[in-house]
Amino acid sequence: MSDKVAIAEQVKDAVETRLSPHEDHFGSGGKSPCSTASAKMFTRQCEAAAEATNEDAAFALAQAGSHAGFASLRSVAQKIQKSRATYRQLGCATNPAEAATRQACLGPAAVLAQGFPDLRDGVNLGLAGK
């Protein structure tokens, strides 16, 4: 096994170990409290899921470090971090009354709802050197 493959496997195992419990607890996609179809999107439940997703994104970035071949993972993780920051800045978890703010919350919430599977996909692409 080459060094690149071994590193990619280590990153995959470490990230997967961290992702699975959070995804089991919070759900993902349509089952996430951050899903744009969820009544929980404007609540602290989504905020907690956003925080866990953000932590996993930061962990994934740390695991990828300066290793080559994780461009997709880095991109996904950075997008999650930006979405979590935007969700927080807009006050989305406080059930904002203003329609424009509610509308602005949809994009970041959708990214956060899909965060766990997207991080997993990023790791898998890292195995392929992407």
Side-chain angles (χ1 to χ4, degrees), residues 15-115:
V15 172
E16 181 61 39
T17 298
R18 181 143 177 153
L19 285 178
S20 292
H22 282 158
E23 188 172 23
D24 290 346
H25 179 75
F26 292 107
S28 61
K31 295 181 181 179
S32 168
C34 295
S35 167
T36 57
S38 173
K40 298 175 185 175
M41 189 190 103
F42 295 109
T43 69
R44 300 276 180 220
Q45 289 174 301
C46 176
E47 184 174 49
E51 195 60 37
T53 308
N54 185 66
E55 290 170 7
D56 289 352
F59 181 79
L61 285 171
Q63 291 300 305
S66 61
H67 302 297
F70 290 99
S72 296
L73 178 60
R74 285 183 186 92
S75 176
V76 165
Q78 290 166 350
K79 186 174 182 179
I80 289 168
Q81 290 180 320
K82 182 178 179 184
S83 294
R84 185 271 202 171
T86 302
Y87 183 87
R88 180 175 267 183
Q89 288 169 345
L90 291 170
C92 300
T94 62
N95 197 18
E98 190 175 314
T101 302
R102 293 177 75 82
Q103 182 68 30
C105 290
L106 295 175
V111 169
L112 295 165
Q114 193 60 33

